């Protein structure tokens, strides 16, 4: 269930939502600015009223401009928002945690070049970091 993200995904609410709404709609045609969701994928979005009230939601479905959401994510509370509140993908702690969990890193200390061999754990992805110097 990977977290999805993209650059410049922003819109505004097409209509207000209550603090218990599980769907929201962005402006017509703006849904395409956000990632397409399949299977158990999701993305995190923020809703910001521009006056200090911000909520992070987990978007588990997107159909054109309508999003299915799980409210009050990443330590935020479920709030009511008026039409025109900004909806966008931002870097959040939960997004960074999801990316971190999605990548397995095997770090080995090589005090002498060629002194060890790499062993890739099953299912891990490789990230190679080579540092030179004293």
């Amino acid at each position: 269930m990977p977290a999805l993200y993209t650059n410049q995904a922003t819109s505004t609410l097409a209509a207000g939502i209550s603090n218990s709404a599980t769907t929201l709609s962005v402006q017509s045609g703006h849904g395409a600015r956000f990632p397409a969701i399949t299977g158990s994928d999701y993305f995190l979005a923020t809703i910001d009223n521009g006056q200090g009230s911000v909520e992070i939601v987990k978007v588990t479905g997107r159909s054109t401009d309508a999003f299915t959401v799980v409210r009050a994510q990443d330590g935020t509370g479920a709030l009511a928002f008026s039409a025109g509140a900004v909806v966008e993908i931002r870097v959040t702690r939960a997004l960074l945690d999801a990316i971190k969990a999605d990548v397995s890193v095997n770090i080995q200390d090589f005090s002498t070049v060629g002194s060890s061999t790499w062993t890739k754990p099953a299912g891990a992805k490789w990230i190679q970091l080579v540092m030179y110097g004293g």
Side-chain angles (χ1 to χ4, degrees):
M1 140 161 107
L4 305 173
Y5 37 89
T6 190
N7 291 326
Q8 308 304 323
T10 186
S11 186
T12 57
L13 288 177
I17 58 171
S18 70
N19 65 344
S20 61
T22 57
T23 60
L24 62 85
S25 293
V26 295
Q27 295 300 317
S28 181
H30 290 192
R33 297 175 179 180
F34 295 82
I37 297 174
T38 59
S40 60
D41 294 347
Y42 67 93
F43 63 86
L44 296 171
T46 59
I47 309 171
D48 187 338
N49 72 356
Q51 300 173 2
S53 294
V54 177
E55 180 184 349
I56 299 170
V57 297
K58 181 178 185 179
V59 181
T60 59
R62 179 176 70 82
S63 178
T64 313
D65 301 318
F67 299 171
T68 301
V69 297
V70 178
R71 304 294 298 270
Q73 299 296 295
D74 205 10
T76 63
L79 305 168
F81 290 93
S82 300
V86 175
V87 178
E88 58 191 356
I89 293 180
R90 297 180 183 173
V91 176
T92 65
R93 183 190 73 229
L95 175 60
L96 294 175
D97 287 345
I99 293 168
K100 180 179 168 185
D102 215 21
V103 177
S104 296
V105 180
N106 183 15
I107 300 174
Q108 296 182 16
D109 181 11
F110 293 97
S111 53
T112 309
V113 174
S115 67
S116 182
T117 59
W118 288 92
T119 304
K120 179 178 169 280
K125 296 178 174 71
W126 280 106
I127 296 178
Q128 184 175 6
L129 173 64
V130 179
M131 298 178 69
Y132 297 96

